[in-house]
């Protein structure tokens, strides 16, 4: 017995009794009514999987027009509902008309029990499929609205940034896969978004996936999606990030964090351009433009055996290396002014300005956390500002530049952030080496960097 609810509408009480006995063997609830005027109130009161609708209700009438009228009303109320017409006065023309109006099948009285049951099973299945498709489309539309994102805000006038933007312009015009490399906090996602916005896919969305934050156990569900019942908590069908990015751009951040088994699964998707949702056997084609980013040396990881060479070739059609903030000259002050304006508005502190000592401090600092660290520093300075001027004392740079944290005076969180910054600088952003030095896992390191805005 299925959990479907069936509504049966017929003016003959004997027919209703017979259909109730038959259909109740197969479906969990069968509601029978003998007046078609009750149909709409019944559907508004509860959800039905299918309707078995008689075509004639007035004595002496056998044209089927009454049934066709109520069929149209049903379709107005719920176009995804499966309606099966049943009548003792049927002909080919009437059946064709009913199907054109939205009915899924046409049954003649007297009916064959097994055939009628099979017809209703098919009707229920079709109704469920239609609603699932609509639900997935609604989810995708909602996700598209959420992920459409704001235009990239790339700020910089330095020579290295001008060269970078010229390269981005050339890359964007192609469908090539792109690998963006650079230290943490240099703005790899902004570059990815700029490439997307300048491409012929800009009308669609760019879906960003932080692979460093996706546990191995959830990888397939997050990226490929799943169907209801695929695992314990899979209560509904869900689109994966790859399918959501169909016809748009898919951005994989921290691609170097993928384990070898997951690299193999991703490679298979990139080669076939198809995915299969978890718990399903349906193969779905996807059309994506792939952009990946990492702060790791993937070529070194290939030599060490921790990254697949074939996957590297697949994602690295064109490479983009982002410069660290310390190599961008006056862009530091340009970015600082932008962040000062942003946070002054956010925290309702209009009129804040930086004096010369603040600008000198910003230019002298080595910025191991790059643009992300600069943004964090300006936000903190704005929050703590007690007057209209931000000076060098408004910033609390860590002692990473002195290659020592032994004399650092601050809270436990500040000391920890300082140690991480020092290790990042020492190992040029190599996350594996940093994790080894600090004695923590790469995932823990990644989480702490998120926490401290590094």
């Amino acid at each position: 017995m299925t959990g479907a609810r069936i509504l049966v509408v017929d003016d003959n009480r004997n027919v209703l009794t017979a259909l109730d006995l038959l259909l109740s063997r197969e479906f969990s609830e069968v509601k029978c009514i003998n007046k078609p005027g009750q149909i709409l109130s019944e559907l508004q009161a509860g959800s039905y999987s299918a309707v078995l609708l008689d075509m004639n209700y007035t004595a002496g009438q056998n044209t089927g027009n009454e049934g066709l009228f109520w069929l149209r009303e049903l379709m107005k109320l719920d176009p995804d509902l499966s309606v099966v017409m049943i009548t003792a006065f049927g002909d080919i023309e009437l059946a064709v008309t009913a199907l054109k109006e939205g009915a899924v099948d046409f049954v003649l009285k007297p009916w064959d029990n097994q055939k009628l049951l099979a017809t209703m099973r098919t009707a229920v299945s079709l109704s469920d499929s239609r609603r699932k498709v609509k639900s997935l489309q609604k989810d995708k539309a909602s996700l598209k609205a959420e992920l459409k994102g704001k235009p990239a805000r790339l700020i910089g006038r330095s020579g290295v940034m001008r060269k970078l933007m010229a390269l981005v312009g050339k890359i964007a015009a192609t469908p090539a896969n792109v690998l963006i490399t650079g230290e943490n906090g240099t703005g790899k996602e902004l570059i990815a978004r700029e490439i997307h916005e300048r491409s012929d896919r800009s009308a669609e969305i760019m879906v960003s996936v932080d692979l460093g934050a996706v546990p191995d156990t959830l990888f397939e569900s997050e990226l490929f999606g799943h169907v209801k019942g695929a695992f314990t908590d899979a209560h509904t069908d869900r689109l994966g990030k790859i399918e959501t990015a169909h016809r748009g751009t898919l951005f994989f951040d921290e691609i170097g964090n993928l384990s070898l088994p997951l690299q193999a699964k991703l490679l298979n998707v990139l080669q076939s351009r198809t995915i299969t949702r978890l718990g399903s056997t349906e193969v779905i084609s996807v059309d994506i433009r792939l952009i990946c980013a990492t702060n790791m040396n993937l070529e070194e990881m290939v030599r060490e055996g921790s990254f697949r060479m074939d996957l590297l070739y697949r994602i690295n059609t064109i490479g983009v290396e982002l410069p660290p903030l310390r190599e961008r000259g006056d862009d530091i002050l340009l970015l600082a002014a932008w962040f000062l304006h942003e946070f002054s508005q956010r925290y309702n502190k209009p009129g804040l300005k930086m004096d010369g000592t603040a600008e000198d401090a910003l230019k002298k600092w080595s910025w191991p956390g790059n643009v992300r660290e600069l943004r964090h520093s300006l936000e903190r300075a704005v929050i703590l500002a007690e007057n209209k001027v931000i000076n060098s004392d408004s910033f609390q740079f860590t002692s990473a530049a002195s290659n020592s944290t032994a004399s650092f005076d601050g809270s436990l969180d500040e000391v920890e952030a300082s140690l991480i910054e020092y290790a990042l600088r020492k190992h040029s952003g190599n996350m594996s080496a940093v994790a080894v030095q600090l004695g923590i896992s790469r995932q823990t390191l990644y989480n702490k960097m998120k926490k401290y805005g590094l």
Side-chain angles (χ1 to χ4, degrees), residues 62-104:
N62 58 14
T63 61
N65 287 334
E66 291 174 295
L68 292 175
F69 169 80
W70 289 110
L71 172 62
R72 296 185 192 106
E73 293 300 304
L74 283 168
M75 291 297 97
K76 289 178 187 176
L77 186 64
D78 186 358
D80 299 320
L81 182 64
S82 293
V83 181
V84 176
M85 311 301 292
I86 184 168
T87 182
F89 306 97
D91 58 37
I92 296 298
E93 185 177 351
L94 184 59
V96 171
T97 301
L99 294 174
K100 285 182 177 180
E101 295 287 351
V104 300

Side-chain angles (χ1 to χ4, degrees), residues 31 33 63 113 141 162-164 180 187 206 215 231 244 282-283 299-300 311 315 328 331 351 356 369 372 374 437:
K31 180 66 178 290
I33 58 177
T63 61
N113 284 349
R162 289 177 179 175
K163 289 180 181 178
L164 176 64
I180 304 172
M206 184 182 92
F231 49 88
T244 302
E282 180 186 3
V283 177
E299 292 183 353
E300 182 180 333
L311 179 58
I315 67 175
R328 292 178 55 182
D331 284 352
R372 188 181 294 147
L374 176 62
Q437 176 183 323

Side-chain angles (χ1 to χ4, degrees), residues 263-327:
Q263 290 177 33
K265 292 180 180 180
L266 177 58
L267 179 63
N268 182 59
V269 170
L270 298 180
Q271 289 174 334
S272 65
R273 295 287 163 164
T274 62
I275 58 104
T276 302
R277 296 190 195 120
L278 198 61
S280 172
T281 57
E282 180 186 3
V283 177
I284 301 170
S285 297
V286 289
D287 171 20
I288 57 170
R289 200 265 177 88
L290 181 67
I291 303 177
C292 296
T294 184
N295 63 350
M296 300 179 183
N297 187 329
L298 296 187
E299 292 183 353
E300 182 180 333
M301 291 177 67
V302 168
R303 289 192 292 271
E304 294 171 350
S306 58
F307 201 87
R308 294 179 63 114
M309 180 180 292
D310 46 4
L311 179 58
L312 178 57
Y313 288 152
R314 178 69 62 173
I315 67 175
N316 190 24
T317 305
I318 299 178
V320 178
E321 176 75 23
L322 266 62
L325 183 57
R326 59 185 173 273
E327 296 179 4

Side-chain angles (χ1 to χ4, degrees), residues 334-345:
L334 191 65
L335 286 161
W338 174 272
F339 295 140
L340 179 62
H341 173 71
E342 176 187 348
F343 294 122
S344 295
Q345 288 188 323

Side-chain angles (χ1 to χ4, degrees), residues 93-313:
E93 185 177 351
L94 184 59
V96 171
T97 301
L99 294 174
K100 285 182 177 180
E101 295 287 351
V104 300
D105 214 332
F106 190 93
V107 176
L108 286 175
K109 301 174 183 176
W111 61 83
D112 177 277
N113 284 349
Q114 295 307 312
K115 288 183 179 179
L116 179 58
L117 285 173
T119 297
M120 296 308 295
R121 287 191 209 105
T122 302
V124 167
S125 177
L126 178 60
S127 183
D128 288 347
S129 296
R130 285 172 172 173
R131 286 168 177 166
K132 284 181 180 178
V133 169
K134 178 168 284 188
S135 176
L136 289 172
Q137 289 173 340
K138 184 178 179 181
D139 287 347
K140 184 170 183 177
S142 175
L143 194 55
K144 274 191 173 185
E146 180 182 345
L147 296 176
K148 180 59 180 172
K150 299 177 181 178
R153 294 183 304 175
L154 283 170
I155 300 169
R157 299 172 184 164
S158 60
V160 290
M161 286 303 293
R162 289 177 179 175
K163 289 180 181 178
L164 176 64
M165 293 312 299
L167 177 61
V168 165
K170 293 178 181 178
I171 292 172
T174 75
N177 292 337
V178 182
L179 177 62
I180 304 172
T181 56
E183 296 178 10
N184 277 317
T186 49
K188 293 186 282 293
E189 184 168 356
L190 281 180
I191 292 295
R193 190 165 296 282
E194 184 73 12
I195 292 172
H196 170 73
E197 292 294 334
R198 293 192 185 194
S199 73
D200 57 5
R201 295 173 180 260
S202 60
E204 296 293 333
I205 58 173
M206 184 182 92
V207 178
S208 299
V209 184
D210 185 347
L211 294 178
V214 179
D216 287 7
T217 53
L218 297 179
F219 178 83
E220 289 184 83
S221 174
E222 286 293 314
L223 268 65
F224 306 152
H226 61 251
V227 297
K228 182 179 179 181
F231 49 88
T232 304
D233 293 327
H235 301 302
T236 60
D237 290 359
R238 180 183 177 187
L239 260 66
K241 296 296 176 60
I242 296 177
E243 190 175 353
T244 302
H246 181 58
R247 295 196 179 95
T249 300
L250 183 63
F251 175 60
F252 281 150
D253 199 5
E254 303 296 345
I255 186 74
N257 284 301
L258 275 186
S259 65
L260 284 170
L262 297 185
Q263 290 177 33
K265 292 180 180 180
L266 177 58
L267 179 63
N268 182 59
V269 170
L270 298 180
Q271 289 174 334
S272 65
R273 295 287 163 164
T274 62
I275 58 104
T276 302
R277 296 190 195 120
L278 198 61
S280 172
T281 57
E282 180 186 3
V283 177
I284 301 170
S285 297
V286 289
D287 171 20
I288 57 170
R289 200 265 177 88
L290 181 67
I291 303 177
C292 296
T294 184
N295 63 350
M296 300 179 183
N297 187 329
L298 296 187
E299 292 183 353
E300 182 180 333
M301 291 177 67
V302 168
R303 289 192 292 271
E304 294 171 350
S306 58
F307 201 87
R308 294 179 63 114
M309 180 180 292
D310 46 4
L311 179 58
L312 178 57
Y313 288 152

Side-chain angles (χ1 to χ4, degrees), residues 326 366-368 400-401 403 420-429:
R326 59 185 173 273
S366 58
W367 300 109
N403 292 330
I420 294 172
E421 287 180 342
Y422 169 61
L424 285 168
R425 179 177 172 81
K426 178 181 177 182
H427 297 288
S428 301

Side-chain angles (χ1 to χ4, degrees), residues 9-69:
V9 190
D10 198 294
D11 62 330
N12 189 318
R13 294 184 182 276
N14 292 329
V15 169
L16 288 179
T17 300
L19 289 171
D20 188 11
L21 290 171
L22 174 65
L23 297 175
S24 294
R25 303 176 196 167
E26 183 80 17
F27 305 104
S28 62
E29 183 177 344
V30 178
K31 180 66 178 290
C32 297
I33 58 177
N34 65 350
K35 295 180 180 179
Q38 300 173 331
I39 292 176
L40 299 185
S41 60
E42 277 294 331
L43 290 181
Q44 290 168 348
S47 176
Y48 286 89
S49 299
V51 176
L52 185 58
L53 179 66
D54 190 25
M55 297 201 69
N56 299 288
Y57 297 92
T58 304
Q61 292 289 332
N62 58 14
T63 61
N65 287 334
E66 291 174 295
L68 292 175
F69 169 80

